[in-house]
Amino acid sequence: MTGPLSSLKVLDFSTLLPGPFASLLLADMGAEVLRVESPTRMDLVRVLPPHDGGTSTSHAYLNRNKRSIALDLKRPEAVEVVKKLVAEYDIVLEQFRPGVMDKLGVGYEALKAINPRLIYVSITGYGQTGPYRDRAGHDINYLALAGIASYTGRRDSGPLPLGVQLADIAGGSLHGVIGLLAAVVQRQVTGQGQQVDVSMTDCAFSLHGMAGAGYLGAGVEPEMENQALNGGSFYDYYRTRDGRWFSVGSLEPQFMQPFCQALGRPELAARGLSPKPEDQRALKREIEIEFEKRDFADWRERFAALDACVEPMLPLSEALEHPQIKARALVAEVPREGLPAQPQLACPLKFSHGLPAPRHVGAALGAHTAQVLAELGYDAEQIATLRAAGALG
């Protein structure tokens, strides 16, 4: 079975999380993804714990279904290999700081001259322009500068380091895939490729959504616990008697009424729509008191049959066993050479024509170097010459 992106061939120069998560989605949907990896500067995800069978589980997941070629781009012979690859792999994904790929001789302009159809996706912290273009950063920094952290957290304890990397994945990875596919569609019409500049800070900034519209249009500054959806209303998490938690999102009256009935406090329902902060704080306290009267299992049973937008907060181990997660087949068994298949998070997108089954976990560094070079027309002697020159590490 081929996937919907089986016509795409992608050269992936990225490391760590944002770029590899983007190319994972592409590979899962059938694109042929070839990682171009440095033999002298390892992708740190390769050694990130925990490990399974001697391999980082993060690497095995993020780089499944991709091949790997080892090229030392500081060697001119390796740069020539990339230039040959670009004749066939007409999409490049890279994550270096601006200008690094140019210095290596494989920047957009250099490769575009070889293949005008080239689509060149650059994922960076701050983009290709602006005073911060060369500045280092991580997910937490992008969220802080973009203003998102300023209203994500509690007034008494401050901003929260999120459990998932929002700027990296929602900012860099997902917007990178969107930009890449948009450029592919335009290329089908014009025959021309282009560079796509993806700034993780820019894309995180765009996620302000309603709060951003409220400030720009009405001057309302979003702050911690002053919005309906960030803890400023009863829409929140509540602790049970035995120290577990429930999420309550019963905003609409048709959900609030059965929720309050289940609490044994039907009179609270009328207070749910009050815009006054003091009313919401009082309502939250009443709900907190009620939740503290029963254990998690009691509340779970009580809310299981109610369509009230109330759900238990599950640790990952329990989420994996939830019937909805299981029904959606969100875990895949991915083949490993010489070892049992490894369970991994599956591609979450569903297509009526289906997706190809996972082929393999993330490959060893340079595992496909000889194979890829042979496909380009290099014979055994030429490959040996490249090795001797240090181009392959």
Side-chain angles (χ1 to χ4, degrees):
M1 179 186 294
T2 59
L5 301 184
S6 60
S7 63
L8 303 186
K9 300 183 75 171
V10 181
L11 280 184
D12 181 7
F13 292 85
S14 66
T15 59
L16 301 175
L17 177 61
F21 192 94
S23 58
L24 169 64
L25 289 173
L26 299 172
D28 280 348
M29 290 187 281
E32 183 177 335
V33 177
L34 175 61
R35 296 195 74 202
V36 180
E37 298 191 76
S38 169
T40 61
R41 188 179 180 183
M42 181 186 292
D43 179 0
L44 292 179
V45 168
R46 284 189 173 276
V47 295
L48 185 70
H51 293 77
D52 178 23
T55 300
S56 165
T57 54
S58 296
H59 163 71
Y61 164 63
L62 287 170
N63 294 295
R64 74 168 172 237
N65 296 335
K66 308 172 191 177
R67 295 196 292 174
S68 170
I69 182 172
L71 292 175
D72 185 348
L73 296 179
K74 294 179 180 178
R75 307 279 183 172
E77 298 88 349
V79 172
E80 289 306 309
V81 173
V82 171
K83 290 180 177 178
K84 288 188 178 182
L85 283 167
V86 164
E88 296 183 31
Y89 289 79
D90 55 6
I91 298 173
V92 162
L93 177 65
E94 63 94 7
Q95 196 181 297
F96 291 102
R97 293 197 210 186
V100 171
M101 292 286 276
D102 292 320
K103 290 178 183 177
L104 294 171
V106 289
Y108 174 59
E109 293 298 333
L111 299 186
K112 172 189 171 185
I114 298 167
N115 186 349
R117 291 177 55 83
L118 178 69
I119 292 169
Y120 196 100
V121 181
S122 298
I123 300 176
T124 60
Y126 300 107
Q128 301 296 307
T129 60
Y132 268 34
R133 67 188 294 270
D134 296 320
R135 191 174 179 89
H138 278 298
D139 185 87
I140 195 170
N141 309 126
Y142 310 142
L143 294 177
L145 280 181
I148 288 178
S150 72
Y151 60 100
T152 304
R154 302 293 186 185
R155 286 196 187 98
D156 60 354
S157 57
L160 299 173
L162 300 183
V164 297
Q165 291 68 49
L166 185 67
D168 284 356
I169 295 177
S173 308
L174 300 187
H175 282 86
V177 170
I178 292 168
L180 185 156
L181 295 180
V184 168
V185 172
Q186 188 171 41
R187 184 175 67 182
Q188 291 172 341
V189 176
T190 66
Q192 297 294 308
Q194 60 186 304
Q195 185 174 19
V196 183
D197 175 5
V198 181
S199 156
M200 288 181 268
T201 302
D202 291 2
C203 295
F205 186 77
S206 75
L207 299 178
H208 279 293
M210 292 184 288
Y215 178 74
L216 290 170
V220 177
E221 178 85 67
E223 298 173 358
M224 293 178 193
E225 298 182 285
N226 83 334
Q227 308 265 303
L229 306 184
N230 80 338
S233 75
F234 72 90
Y235 180 100
D236 211 327
Y237 294 95
Y238 296 90
R239 186 162 50 191
T240 63
R241 184 169 60 186
D242 52 349
R244 296 196 61 176
W245 297 84
F246 267 79
S247 63
V248 174
S250 314
L251 291 173
E252 297 86 349
Q254 68 267 32
F255 302 132
M256 186 61 168
Q257 289 167 4
F259 165 60
C260 292
Q261 289 281 358
L263 287 183
R265 298 289 303 279
E267 76 280 4
L268 295 179
R271 298 159 60 179
L273 293 177
S274 173
K276 297 180 179 179
E278 59 271 23
D279 290 348
Q280 289 294 327
R281 286 193 293 269
L283 176 58
K284 285 177 72 168
R285 184 57 192 147
E286 295 287 353
I287 296 173
E288 287 171 354
I289 290 170
E290 296 306 323
F291 265 100
E292 289 169 355
K293 292 178 179 178
R294 295 175 180 270
D295 289 343
F296 179 84
D298 292 341
W299 285 120
R300 190 169 193 174
E301 182 178 357
R302 181 167 290 228
F303 287 115
L306 287 182
D307 200 20
C309 299
V310 180
E311 299 295 349
M313 188 189 79
L314 303 179
L316 180 57
S317 56
E318 291 184 20
L320 286 166
E321 299 302 319
H322 192 279
Q324 179 65 21
I325 301 296
K326 289 196 164 205
R328 297 291 290 175
L330 292 178
V331 174
E333 296 292 329
V334 185
R336 291 187 290 180
E337 187 175 353
L339 290 169
Q342 184 180 67
Q344 294 184 357
L345 302 177
C347 180
L349 301 171
K350 309 296 182 187
F351 294 86
S352 60
H353 290 287
L355 288 175
R359 299 180 291 284
H360 57 79
V361 300
L365 173 61
H368 304 96
T369 298
Q371 180 186 71
V372 172
L373 291 174
E375 291 169 359
L376 286 176
Y378 288 84
D379 60 28
E381 183 178 348
Q382 290 171 315
I383 294 174
T385 299
L386 287 173
R387 289 195 188 282
L392 311 181

